[in-house]
Amino acid sequence: MDKYKKKRDLAIEIINRFKTEYKDADCTLDYDEAWKLLVSVRLAAQCTDARVNIVVKDLYKKFPDVASLAEADVNKIEEIIRPCGLGHSKARDISQCMKMLHGEFNDIVPDDFDKLMKLPGVGRKSANLIMGDVFHKPAIVTDTHCIRLTNRMGLIDNLKDPKKVEMELWKIIPPEDGNHFCHCLVEHGRRVCTARKPMCESCILRDICSKNI
């Protein structure tokens, strides 16, 4: 018997419940162009999406497109994004990413996972977010919510490495559901299945969750 069948069945049931409970779950970073999501997801590391959404307004007012951000003094970028934390490394990555996007991709964010991964500051999580949200292609974003919740639910077994979690989830999550499922995990992780005091008694998954807390 397929050793993943039980987990796959569980995943389908969770996804169906999430589709009802969190049908409007979506990315909480504000963007209207693909390159802006690249910038925001880099800024979101160890920072709240709400703060990022405020900070990028000033960034885009001064540097409204890929070309201007690519040509910007990295110190000027750092001054603006400092409230997001890790300003020096984030400014460097954003600057280098925009330079490459401008010089090699004609200011157009590629819709290819491997090409996205070549951009400075872009890892698997960021690349999957772009693939799913911008290009509507199969994607699984293994952020902290995804890793914590899928372990608790019993979809994966004691895995913390983001890439290993992603690879295991690809075996049980229907490709077309991956992106929305991960957005639902963020919503559920913030509202119910919190890191320290999960509200299991009011959880829509309480009867099927493994509760590996």
Side-chain angles (χ1 to χ4, degrees), residues 3 26 82 85 106 151 167 202 206 208:
K3 67 176 183 177
D26 203 354
R82 188 172 289 122
N106 299 314
N151 271 287
M167 294 302 104
S202 58
R206 60 185 176 275
I208 57 174

Side-chain angles (χ1 to χ4, degrees), residues 42-133:
R42 180 65 188 97
L43 292 176
Q46 298 183 43
C47 181
T48 65
D49 289 359
R51 181 180 292 273
V52 171
N53 289 337
I54 293 171
V55 170
V56 292
K57 290 179 181 178
D58 291 332
L59 184 67
Y60 301 147
K61 190 179 296 183
K62 192 168 184 63
F63 308 111
D65 50 37
V66 173
S68 59
L69 197 51
E71 295 167 2
D73 185 318
V74 70
N75 294 316
K76 295 293 185 182
I77 298 174
E78 184 176 349
E79 285 177 14
I80 298 172
I81 68 169
R82 188 172 289 122
C84 293
L86 304 174
H88 185 70
S89 62
K90 289 180 179 180
R92 180 197 63 219
D93 285 345
I94 289 170
S95 176
Q96 292 177 353
C97 181
M98 293 300 112
K99 286 181 187 303
M100 188 171 180
L101 201 60
H102 181 59
E104 296 188 27
F105 296 101
N106 299 314
D107 298 358
I108 298 173
V109 177
D111 62 349
D112 177 273
F113 187 86
D114 292 330
K115 289 180 179 178
L116 284 169
M117 287 284 286
K118 291 179 180 178
L119 294 170
V122 176
R124 296 190 68 85
K125 183 176 78 171
S126 303
N128 270 302
L129 186 65
I130 296 291
M131 291 298 288
D133 278 19

Side-chain angles (χ1 to χ4, degrees), residues 135-160:
F135 300 115
H136 310 295
K137 293 187 177 182
I140 291 178
V141 180
T142 50
D143 61 7
T144 55
H145 292 289
C146 176
I147 294 170
R148 183 178 77 250
L149 269 62
T150 53
N151 271 287
R152 282 180 175 177
M153 295 169 178
L155 293 177
I156 58 174
D157 301 313
N158 300 314
L159 290 176
K160 303 298 182 183

